[in-house]
Amino acid sequence: MLKRNLKFGELLLNSGKIKKEELEMALIEQKNTNKKLGEIFVEKGILTNTDIINILSTQLGFRKVDVRKYPINIKAVHMIPGSMARKYKLIPIDKIEGKLIVAMSDPLNFYARDDIKLFTKMDLEIVISLEDETMSIIDKYFSNESSKKILEEFEEYEAVDERLEEELLEEAEVASAPIVRLLNSIIEQAVRNKASDIHIEPFSDYVRVRIRVDGDLTEIMTLSKNNLSPIITRIKIIGKMNIAEKRIPQDGRIDINIFDRDIDMRISILPTVYGEKTVIRLLDKSGFNYSKEALGLSENNLKNFNDILSKPYGIILVTGPTGSGKTTTLYSILKEFNKIDKNIITVEDPVEYKLDGVNQVQVNTKTGMNFASGLRSILRQDPDIIMIGEIRDVETAEIAVRASITGHLVISTLHTNDSPSTVARLIDMGIEHYLISSSIIGIISQRLLKVLCNNCKTSYKASNEEKEILGVSSWDDLILYKPNGCNSCNGGYKGRKAIHEIMVMEDNIKRKIKQDIDIEIIRDQALKNGMNTLFKEARELVLNGDTSISEVLKIGITD
């Protein structure tokens, strides 16, 4: 091991990227921590992973490969098991002229090379790739391998449902039960793929398992109908629900840690004609960023956002459909206000993320604690700022309006298509025009758009119809981008970006609301005041090559 470390250290010295004393320091630290030499240099900011790859390539002559763009040979990938790929952080990507092409970030790991050679009985050609890119590809190609193996084992497990349910209750045996490992494998696969939800859906003769990634559902496996009862039983046990009750909906919750990430799982079970359907919502608490800078606001929207937040009292509403990122925006606003001199109280269903310094109240309908009753109690707690998870009925809306008029800052959400139509929704709920104009200080409407993968997006010349949709008919040779799909993305897209429409309730808009003037006129006034529409924000993303025009049309944003 020492010889190998010194050889790698000599390579780094020869490259001129590190100094002799830095190498000596790193070798001492490696002896104490057992970390890899390269890892120590990266952690201390002396080198980057790319620097190390370039040094190894130049000094030893290994070819560099971007595995995200390489046309990977599936047959080559599956010549080794996923456990071996993860252990050594490498992946076979091709077979050429009798040689197996293996991508790895550490080509000096001779133990790994020998192991792969013995396992595959093939000569190897080693190419260098970045570790995080390699691990991403490993996750893509091997994510359901362990699930399939466990599923096969479970299907051979001869036991009736009653015995399984008894066994699942035995803590001593629970970790080794095949159904427990199957469920754990499904959850791990969802977390690896950064899924927001897991859907377990029973049908007449099979059970479908899907995960939602970047807003789209993808099937990851199908199970035998016989698997439904034990897997639902296990879910009920971990969610602290009644395993004997199968006729009514149930909700549960559990906090887990997977891959050093704190995951909050919200479980909803709904009886259907074919059995109990389960949805597990996955909230990654460790990766949640509450800052307003992380919202991705445009320059104009950031100005309007700050203008709204500067008001001492009134109602701020965040609107949009389910899954549009409203909760993220709410918590970003709370973080902005979370100071020692402010008493902040929330009433939520459920409490999504726990914030230090904020008094958070969970709705509990079984005890009569709904948004309206919780809000009444909050008003007796001398609050400065109140956050209501959602305004669902006229009673909650009325209390929120009156709280804002009496000097409180109220933040909440509402399901509407855009900012101006929120006014119409409140009027529909029975709130008087003068109360709306007196209480609302700003409305933030938003959507999430899928972002094109930079590795594989394809350019093309825009059609006349597309130019017309974007309002740029006079532009010549407009270049747009569309999804293509590669090893590192989800069908040509990777991640999502929020777009916003922020309507500041200025005096000219308030007067129009009091006079019961048509919503379209209010919209026009907001545009004159400087409001960016959702379509304008989406249009900019399309013209900048960040998303596709088909994605904008798919979520129903129009001018």
Side-chain angles (χ1 to χ4, degrees):
M1 178 66 81
L2 182 61
K3 184 179 178 182
R4 179 189 157 194
N5 288 334
L6 287 172
K7 183 178 180 182
F8 182 49
E10 287 167 9
L11 289 175
L12 297 178
L13 274 176
N14 292 339
S15 73
K17 290 281 186 179
I18 65 166
K19 299 173 183 175
K20 186 176 180 181
E21 54 268 28
E22 289 174 332
L23 176 59
E24 290 171 353
M25 172 275 298
L27 286 170
I28 293 168
E29 182 168 335
Q30 195 217 26
K31 186 178 179 182
N32 295 329
T33 63
N34 213 23
K35 290 180 180 178
K36 290 183 179 178
L37 208 55
E39 186 181 344
I40 293 168
F41 284 121
V42 170
E43 283 180 359
K44 293 192 175 298
I46 298 169
L47 296 172
T48 65
N49 285 317
T50 304
D51 288 333
I52 292 172
I53 292 295
N54 289 336
I55 291 166
L56 290 172
S57 176
T58 303
Q59 298 284 324
L60 300 178
F62 289 110
R63 180 162 58 103
K64 289 186 294 183
V65 167
D66 186 339
V67 289
R68 298 170 303 175
K69 297 179 180 178
Y70 193 93
I72 289 176
N73 182 335
I74 306 278
K75 290 181 180 177
V77 169
H78 291 292
M79 288 191 70
I80 66 169
S83 56
M84 184 177 280
R86 287 197 174 91
K87 177 182 177 182
Y88 295 127
K89 298 179 181 178
L90 54 76
I91 187 166
I93 56 174
D94 211 350
K95 287 194 294 183
I96 299 176
E97 297 177 355
K99 282 188 177 181
L100 187 65
I101 314 299
V102 179
M104 58 194 300
S105 60
D106 183 7
L108 297 178
N109 188 340
F110 299 107
Y111 304 115
R113 290 165 60 171
D114 290 345
D115 222 356
I116 300 299
K117 192 172 182 178
L118 283 169
F119 189 87
T120 60
K121 297 179 174 59
M122 289 188 70
D123 290 331
L124 308 182
E125 179 185 334
I126 303 299
V127 296
I128 307 181
S129 60
L130 285 170
E131 184 177 309
D132 58 343
E133 293 174 2
T134 305
M135 293 307 295
S136 175
I137 301 303
I138 289 171
D139 284 342
K140 176 169 182 173
Y141 285 100
F142 292 107
S143 60
N144 63 353
E145 183 186 75
S146 59
S147 298
K148 286 179 180 177
K149 186 176 179 182
I150 295 167
L151 182 58
E152 287 170 5
E153 182 184 338
F154 176 70
E155 286 174 344
E156 294 172 3
Y157 191 66
E158 296 178 358
V160 296
D161 289 348
E162 288 77 13
R163 180 187 158 190
L164 271 171
E165 290 182 4
E166 287 174 9
E167 200 168 289
L168 288 170
L169 288 169
E170 294 290 336
E171 284 299 323
E173 300 178 17
V174 79
S176 62
I179 196 63
V180 174
R181 291 192 287 117
L182 175 61
L183 179 60
N184 290 345
S185 178
I186 291 170
I187 294 169
E188 286 174 7
Q189 190 172 339
V191 172
R192 276 200 188 100
N193 285 279
K194 298 181 180 176
S196 59
D197 304 88
I198 301 169
H199 292 243
I200 301 172
E201 305 162 301
F203 294 99
S204 58
D205 54 1
Y206 71 99
V207 177
R208 180 173 65 187
V209 180
R210 296 189 290 175
I211 59 175
R212 189 180 294 279
V213 180
D214 290 340
D216 292 335
L217 282 168
T218 305
E219 184 177 301
I220 58 169
M221 69 175 69
T222 57
L223 308 174
S224 162
K225 194 66 184 288
N226 294 331
N227 300 155
L228 181 64
S229 181
I231 203 167
I232 296 298
T233 298
R234 176 59 186 162
I235 290 169
K236 286 179 179 178
I237 290 169
I238 64 173
K240 297 179 174 60
M241 291 176 273
N242 184 353
I243 65 170
E245 182 56 73
K246 300 182 180 182
R247 298 163 300 171
I248 61 173
Q250 293 192 67
D251 294 316
R253 175 178 179 174
I254 184 172
D255 291 323
I256 60 172
N257 186 283
I258 298 180
F259 312 129
D260 293 325
R261 291 154 68 183
D262 292 321
I263 306 294
D264 186 4
M265 298 200 318
R266 305 289 168 78
I267 305 165
S268 172
I269 295 180
L270 179 72
T272 71
V273 290
Y274 293 119
E276 293 175 289
K277 178 185 186 299
T278 301
V279 174
I280 302 174
R281 179 98 183 269
L282 302 172
L283 298 169
D284 188 348
K285 296 187 287 187
S286 56
F288 195 88
N289 192 336
Y290 307 110
S291 70
K292 67 179 179 183
E293 289 76 19
L295 295 176
L297 293 161
S298 63
E299 186 178 344
N300 182 64
N301 278 338
L302 183 59
K303 176 182 172 296
N304 288 336
F305 188 79
N306 288 331
D307 189 12
I308 291 171
L309 267 55
S310 68
K311 303 292 192 295
Y313 58 85
I315 298 178
I316 300 172
L317 289 174
V318 183
T319 75
T322 302
S324 59
K326 297 190 297 296
T327 300
T328 301
T329 302
L330 279 185
Y331 279 89
S332 298
I333 295 171
L334 283 184
K335 183 182 179 184
E336 193 74 10
F337 287 128
N338 191 8
K339 304 289 189 296
I340 195 68
D341 62 335
K342 299 294 182 187
N343 178 20
I344 304 175
I345 308 179
T346 76
V347 54
E348 307 170 62
D349 184 23
V351 173
E352 300 277 5
Y353 298 96
K354 292 171 184 173
L355 290 176
D356 189 40
V358 175
N359 305 285
Q360 295 171 276
V361 178
Q362 169 73 53
V363 164
N364 188 341
T365 52
K366 292 177 183 176
T367 61
M369 174 72 152
N370 55 29
F371 281 114
S373 61
L375 191 47
R376 283 195 202 93
S377 299
I378 283 172
L379 289 171
R380 294 192 287 272
Q381 289 283 318
D382 185 32
D384 296 297
I385 297 162
I386 301 166
M387 194 267 266
I388 308 165
E390 184 183 344
I391 294 177
R392 295 179 180 174
D393 53 57
V394 65
E395 188 181 7
T396 307
E398 285 176 345
I399 300 170
V401 166
R402 297 190 191 285
S404 69
I405 291 172
T406 54
H408 302 90
L409 185 65
V410 180
I411 311 160
S412 190
T413 69
L414 201 61
H415 285 186
T416 59
N417 289 327
D418 56 30
S419 296
S421 64
T422 303
V423 175
R425 173 75 179 117
L426 290 169
I427 292 169
D428 262 357
M429 292 176 76
I431 307 300
E432 296 290 345
H433 297 74
Y434 75 92
L435 289 175
I436 295 171
S437 64
S438 302
S439 61
I440 307 293
I441 57 175
I443 302 169
I444 304 166
S445 185
Q446 63 184 72
R447 296 286 192 284
L448 290 176
L449 284 174
K450 288 193 288 187
V451 177
L452 287 165
C453 173
N454 282 324
N455 289 316
C456 66
K457 65 182 180 182
T458 306
S459 62
Y460 68 97
K461 189 176 177 181
S463 67
N464 290 332
E465 183 185 0
E466 288 172 326
K467 288 181 186 178
E468 188 175 339
I469 290 169
L470 295 171
V472 290
S473 300
S474 60
W475 291 21
D476 294 327
D477 299 327
L478 173 64
I479 300 299
L480 299 179
Y481 292 85
K482 62 184 178 181
N484 185 31
C486 68
N487 297 318
S488 68
C489 68
N490 184 30
Y493 295 98
K494 194 169 186 179
R496 291 189 289 177
K497 184 179 177 67
I499 55 172
H500 306 85
E501 178 180 275
I502 302 180
M503 186 169 82
V504 182
M505 296 292 279
E506 298 187 19
D507 290 341
N508 50 20
I509 292 178
K510 289 182 178 182
R511 284 194 295 270
K512 285 178 169 55
I513 294 172
K514 276 183 184 177
Q515 296 163 15
D516 193 15
I517 290 175
D518 186 84
I519 293 300
E520 289 305 317
I521 296 174
I522 293 173
R523 188 192 311 277
D524 291 340
Q525 185 61 61
L527 291 171
K528 288 175 185 175
N529 291 349
M531 179 183 80
N532 276 3
T533 64
L534 287 168
F535 180 79
K536 184 178 179 182
E537 293 274 304
R539 175 180 175 272
E540 287 304 308
L541 290 183
V542 173
L543 294 176
N544 290 337
D546 294 323
T547 193
S548 65
I549 194 166
S550 60
E551 171 67 7
V552 174
L553 296 174
K554 190 175 82 172
I555 66 170
I557 300 174
T558 56
D559 196 1

